[in-house]
């Protein structure tokens, strides 16, 4: 019998308890042993959780020091507190399963060093119930990974889908997403791209062995997307999605999170609502796409329980990040300014003669070639210029934006979206 202790018995933790009880027959058949939850830790013992039928405590040491506990499931959230808890669990020779993407975004390599042969699994940390960790670490292990591109935040995907399909403004759909429970009262972690960035860093470690922190990579959100941007996308055959992108270029890897214009016939462009999808391109297998529920109690708990079953089967860990020696020589993180892309810009300007000519000249001065231009009247005296470019470097486009901001007829900072 495998005995489990759960630290953080909230929505996901409760679902783990329920799945292990309700699907005990198939789980024990697949694991080769019975798996039961012995105890859990919660912050507030006054809340009624008697329906779960497990012993509860508010002290993590009741699990960490319990010699009968084989597997510690960390669902408490946060970074440094969770790091201390997981370190102690590993040092007490307990296997660990976590869904904590923030913890891994900052401490995955330190934990891999501590874990060594102790099982440490984290499938639920990226894209909920989608088995992307195992796909990268095991199913695609014969491949050099050329790129990863994913919709990894259901809140942003829901909002952008509604903006595209129903013409809803950003502020309106954000309030709706909050009312439905998709977005938090402070939605910055989701709409600012940080949630996606944490997940991308985990995937990039498995694919490329890149040890980067969120502060090291390009991260932007969807806060500035407007109806004009949606209209431009439709007119030119694009949709807008928040993407996490990892791409290998010779001995460098670019990592970036941002709103993106994607051709509407691309597989990943068809992913709508709160669903997640991740496209992985391997040098031998080509493109594979992983689709499903990226959040929610049961979907995330499904991945947690699958990890517990893996531990029950093997008894020890496979390499936590999928490799025992350095990956592909010396891959390094590409500087954000050296990333190449096509770009779209929305520039709100005074509607005067000569404005477009002056703007075109500034593009030329910054070595950026224009591909298409649309003008949309925004008021009696102003207009939005919607411009797409050919490929350019990130540092050049940022210099261009600084130049455009200084123009006397520019009414606000230009909005830029990358085209992938």
């Amino acid at each position: 019998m495998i005995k489990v202790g759960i630290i953080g018995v909230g929505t996901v933790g409760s679902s783990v308890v329920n799945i292990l009880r309700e699907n005990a027959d198939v789980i024990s058949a697949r694991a080769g042993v019975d798996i039961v939850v012995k105890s859990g830790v919660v912050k507030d013992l006054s809340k009624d959780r008697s329906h779960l039928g497990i012993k509860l405590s508010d002290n993590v040491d009741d699990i960490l020091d319990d010699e009968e506990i084989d597997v510690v499931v960390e669902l408490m959230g946060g970074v440094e507190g969770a790091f201390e808890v997981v370190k102690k669990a590993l040092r007490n020779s307990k296997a660990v399963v976590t869904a904590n993407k923030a913890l891994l975004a900052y401490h995955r390599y330190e934990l891999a060093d501590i874990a060594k042969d102790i099982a440490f699994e984290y499938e639920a940390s990226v894209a909920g119930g989608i088995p992307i960790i195992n796909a990268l670490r095991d199913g695609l292990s014969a491949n050099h990974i050329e790129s990863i591109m994913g919709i990894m935040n259901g809140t942003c995907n829901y909002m952008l889908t509604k903006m595209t399909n129903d013409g809803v403004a950003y502020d309106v759909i954000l309030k709706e997403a909050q009312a439905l429970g998709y977005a938090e009262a402070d939605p910055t972690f989701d709409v600012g791209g940080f949630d996606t960035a944490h997940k991308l860093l985990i995937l990039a470690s498995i694919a490329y062995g890149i040890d980067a922190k969120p502060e090291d990579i390009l991260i932007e959100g969807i806060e500035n997307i407007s109806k004009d941007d949606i209209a431009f996308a439709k007119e030119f055959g694009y949709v807008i999605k928040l993407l996490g992108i990892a791409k290998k270029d010779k001995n460098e890897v670019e990592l970036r999170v941002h709103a993106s214009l994607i051709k509407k016939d691309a597989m990943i462009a068809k992913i709508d609502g709160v669903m997640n999808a991740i496209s992985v391109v391997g040098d031998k297998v080509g493109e594979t796409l992983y689709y499903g529920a990226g959040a929610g109690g049961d979907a995330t708990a499904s991945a947690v329980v699958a990890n517990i079953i893996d531990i029950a089967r093997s008894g020890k860990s496979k390499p936590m990040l999928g490799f025992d020696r350095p990956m592909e020589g010396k891959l390094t993180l590409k500087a954000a300014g050296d990333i190449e892309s096509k770009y779209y810009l929305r520039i709100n300007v005074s509607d005067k003669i000569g404005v477009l000519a002056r703007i075109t000249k500034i593009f030329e001065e910054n070595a950026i070639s224009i591909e298409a231009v649309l003008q949309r009247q925004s008021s009696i005296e102003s207009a939005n210029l919607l411009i797409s470019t050919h490929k350019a470097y990130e540092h050049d486009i940022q210099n261009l934006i600084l130049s455009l901001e200084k123009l006397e007829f520019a009414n606000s900072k230009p909005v830029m979206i990358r085209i992938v």
Side-chain angles (χ1 to χ4, degrees):
M1 178 180 290
I2 297 291
K3 292 186 179 180
V4 176
I6 302 176
I7 300 176
V9 191
T11 301
V12 176
S14 297
S15 290
V16 170
V17 175
N18 291 333
I19 290 172
L20 285 170
R21 181 172 56 240
E22 293 167 8
N23 289 2
D25 53 349
V26 70
I27 289 170
S28 61
R30 288 172 175 162
V33 64
D34 292 337
I35 300 174
V36 298
V37 178
K38 181 183 179 185
S39 59
V41 169
V42 296
K43 285 183 179 179
D44 181 8
L45 284 170
S46 65
K47 184 176 179 180
D48 182 21
R49 296 179 179 86
S50 57
H51 62 285
L52 295 175
I54 63 171
K55 178 184 176 182
L56 294 174
S57 163
D58 59 3
N59 184 352
V60 294
D61 289 333
D62 289 341
I63 284 177
L64 300 179
D65 294 333
D66 185 341
E67 294 183 359
E68 291 189 352
I69 297 290
D70 303 295
V71 180
V72 173
V73 176
E74 184 277 306
L75 301 171
M76 62 189 287
V79 178
E80 298 308 324
F83 183 41
E84 294 304 317
V85 165
V86 171
K87 280 196 297 184
K88 183 171 181 179
L90 293 170
R91 286 169 177 159
N92 287 354
S93 298
K94 298 186 185 302
V96 172
V97 176
T98 183
N100 191 335
K101 54 189 171 287
L103 167 67
L104 295 171
Y106 284 97
H107 294 300
R108 57 199 181 280
Y109 285 90
E110 295 153 273
L111 290 171
D113 286 341
I114 295 167
K116 294 184 172 62
D117 287 337
I118 300 169
F120 189 115
E121 299 292 342
Y122 51 99
E123 184 66 68
S125 66
V126 180
I130 303 172
I132 185 61
I133 302 294
N134 278 339
L136 270 178
R137 199 169 57 173
D138 299 326
L140 299 177
S141 56
N143 288 253
H144 289 282
I145 303 301
E146 297 178 353
S147 67
I148 300 168
M149 185 166 65
I151 296 168
M152 294 182 254
N153 184 275
T155 299
C156 290
N157 205 44
Y158 172 80
M159 292 173 62
L160 290 170
T161 299
K162 294 285 281 188
M163 290 173 72
T164 299
N165 295 345
D166 301 340
V168 183
Y170 175 86
D171 290 343
V172 174
I173 194 57
L174 175 58
K175 289 179 181 177
E176 180 183 314
Q178 288 170 322
L180 291 169
Y182 296 148
E184 302 290 339
D186 179 359
T188 307
F189 190 66
D190 289 319
V191 300
F194 302 103
D195 173 75
T196 297
H198 289 173
K199 297 168 183 175
L200 179 68
L201 288 166
I202 295 167
L203 298 183
S205 287
I206 299 169
Y208 306 112
I210 290 289
D211 184 7
K213 302 292 191 290
E215 294 80 10
D216 300 328
I217 69 171
L218 191 160
I219 305 173
E220 294 176 6
I222 65 169
E223 303 99 318
N224 295 319
I225 305 297
S226 77
K227 290 183 178 181
D228 287 312
D229 306 323
I230 299 292
F232 178 94
K234 287 183 175 179
E235 185 154 346
F236 285 89
Y238 293 106
V239 295
I240 299 176
K241 300 289 186 183
L242 181 75
L243 294 181
I245 298 170
K247 187 185 299 182
K248 187 173 70 170
D249 180 16
K250 298 178 182 176
N251 66 337
E252 293 185 313
V253 176
E254 61 183 64
L255 298 179
R256 47 192 171 115
V257 173
H258 50 71
S260 306
L261 285 155
I262 315 167
K263 281 294 185 183
K264 66 179 182 181
D265 56 354
M267 284 197 296
I268 205 163
K270 305 177 193 302
I271 309 303
D272 285 341
V274 296
M275 305 305 283
N276 284 197
I278 300 170
S279 165
V280 181
V281 177
D283 64 339
K284 300 305 179 186
V285 74
E287 182 177 17
T288 55
L289 184 70
Y290 306 86
Y291 167 84
D298 282 350
T300 305
S302 171
V304 170
V305 173
N307 279 162
I308 299 170
I309 293 170
D310 284 343
I311 291 168
R313 285 170 171 167
S314 65
K316 73 171 198 172
S317 181
K318 60 191 85 175
M320 177 187 156
L321 294 172
F323 51 90
D324 282 324
R325 59 187 65 184
M327 293 276 286
E328 301 191 44
K330 295 182 179 179
L331 291 177
T332 59
L333 182 67
K334 179 179 281 191
D338 293 336
I339 291 171
E340 261 193 305
S341 179
K342 296 172 72 174
Y343 294 87
Y344 155 89
L345 292 101
R346 169 167 45 88
I347 311 165
N348 188 265
V349 296
S350 300
D351 194 5
K352 297 178 180 178
I353 294 173
V355 167
L356 182 57
R358 180 72 184 103
I359 287 176
T360 302
K361 181 64 174 175
I362 292 174
F363 272 77
E364 181 182 337
E365 291 168 354
N366 284 276
I368 296 170
S369 174
I370 293 175
E371 183 174 61
V373 180
L374 285 178
Q375 181 169 324
R376 293 281 187 267
Q377 209 69 25
S378 61
S379 70
I380 295 174
E381 298 181 343
S382 65
N384 280 322
L385 295 177
L386 312 176
I387 301 173
S388 64
T389 77
H390 294 284
K391 271 197 170 183
Y393 285 105
E394 183 74 20
H395 55 74
D396 288 333
I397 209 77
Q398 295 298 340
N399 288 335
L400 170 73
I401 290 171
L402 289 174
S403 298
L404 293 172
E405 280 185 85
K406 297 174 183 176
L407 295 173
E408 67 277 7
F409 48 74
N411 298 323
S412 60
K413 181 177 180 177
V415 171
M416 178 266 286
I417 305 174
R418 295 163 191 85
I419 302 171
V420 300

